Amino acid sequence: MRGAGNKGLLLLFALIALATLFFSYQQLSRSTDDSGSLISLDGRTMGTGYRVLLQADEAFNSSVNAELQAAIETRLVILDKTIFSTYVPDSEISVFNQADQGVFNASPEFITVLQRALEIHRLSDGAFDPSLKPVVDLWGFGTQVGRQEVPSPDVLAAVFGLKGLTDIRISSNAGTVQKKSGVAIDLSGIAKGFAVDEIGKLLEERGISNFLVEIGGEVLSVGNRPDGAPWQLGIERPVAGKTELLQPIRAHSEKMAVAGSGNYRNYFVHEGQRYSHIIDPRTGWPVSHELLSVTVIAESTMEADAWATALFVLGPEAGVRLANELQLAAYFALDNGAGIQSRHSDAFNRYL
Ligand code: AMP
Ligand code: MG
């Protein structure tokens, strides 16, 4: 998971978050009076911001809100610092990464996310690859922040050779994960979505049935806004430095889980060439095509998060093809020189 030092990513997510929420706020302020019917709890986690929007009603008062926010923060600290942060040396993922081999006791959360990451790796024909951590680091988008440069071919080849997931064995019954090689994993492409789902669960367990949770642009909305209409989400126009709406998302069910991946904020430029933080596992190089962002709507935010990253790697043609094959709802924004254009999978039609 990213650390606060990666400003590019912070900006990326902060602004995507603003875009989606900007839109819901706009709708809210148009449709509700200023009666304080919306509660917003926010803070920082996973190197980015989080926000929880709730309907205020008689059940809420300031002490309930403070207690609820403390519970949310406690849960987020566990998910980030204790489990998924590659920046914390004694987090579960860091301990796993530092060892050459062994059998590790793993939390249910780690097992759930790793298991789904491996499945999406397989379903995406390797496009989603959590074993790219050393490559992500080498390009300067991981834990070694600050040295964003094109690596030498020899070093890249050596580091690229470390990837591979075949030596990882998960035993859910025993609660263990085994590794037989020095592979290091990075679950940044899926863990934020999982954390959103977990906060959603926490709220539901407390009997809250109308809320919106967002971490770094990955969003889960359940139920309605205070005015009784569904929460309104939108896809940001993929332009750095601006927060504009590209495409509103038609709310379709009680529950909407939406996540995006993009290359238009977290990148560096070297000799006129743009290098983004999403790596193509076939080459070890940052993905380079006309795609600017992919937005996925799925059953869970974890699912949407991982697929957005995977489809981003695959690009507009293969990405739309796979999304149609697997009936994933995906929206692709691209620029092939003629301005921003879009494509979407068949399953996305209902959200337009
Ligand atoms: P996201 O913003 O959800 O698309 O996740 C991007 C992050 O996932 C990057 O910053 C890397 O840490 C990691 N990553 C990069 N390339 C891949 C890939 N091909 N598969 C999975 N994770 C990746
Ligand atoms: Mg993702």
Side-chain angles (χ1 to χ4, degrees), residues 128 188-190 218 259-261 304-309:
F128 187 81
S188 303
I190 181 169
E218 326 294 30
S261 277
D305 188 357
W307 276 115
T309 308

Side-chain angles (χ1 to χ4, degrees), residues 283-304:
T283 62
W285 280 68
V287 167
S288 170
H289 43 52
E290 68 269 41
L291 204 49
L292 297 171
S293 74
V294 177
T295 304
V296 175
I297 304 178
E299 278 296 299
S300 71
T301 323
M302 168 171 78
E303 201 75 12

Side-chain angles (χ1 to χ4, degrees), residues 1-2 46 78-100 104-107 109-111 113-114 117 130-133 143 165 168 177 179 182-191:
M1 194 45 50
R2 327 254 94 215
M46 296 182 160
I78 291 172
L79 293 171
D80 183 16
K81 305 267 187 282
T82 312
I83 304 177
F84 293 114
S85 176
T86 50
Y87 290 77
V88 175
D90 60 354
S91 69
E92 202 172 329
I93 198 165
S94 294
V95 171
F96 180 84
N97 284 344
Q98 282 148 22
D100 275 342
F104 299 81
N105 290 323
S107 62
E109 292 90 340
F110 189 77
I111 288 184
V113 175
L114 182 59
S131 74
L132 287 170
K133 182 177 186 305
T143 32
L165 292 161
I168 294 181
V177 179
K179 73 187 238 189
V183 68
I185 56 171
D186 168 13
L187 295 168
S188 303
I190 181 169

Side-chain angles (χ1 to χ4, degrees), residues 15 18 26 36 38 43 56 65 83 85-86 89 108 157 163 193 213 215 220 242 244 259-260 275 318 352:
L15 288 171
L18 264 179
Q26 260 191 342
L38 183 75
N65 288 343
I83 304 177
S85 176
T86 50
K163 83 176 183 78
V213 180
I215 301 178
L220 172 67
K242 285 193 187 158
E244 288 172 7
Y275 298 94
L352 294 177

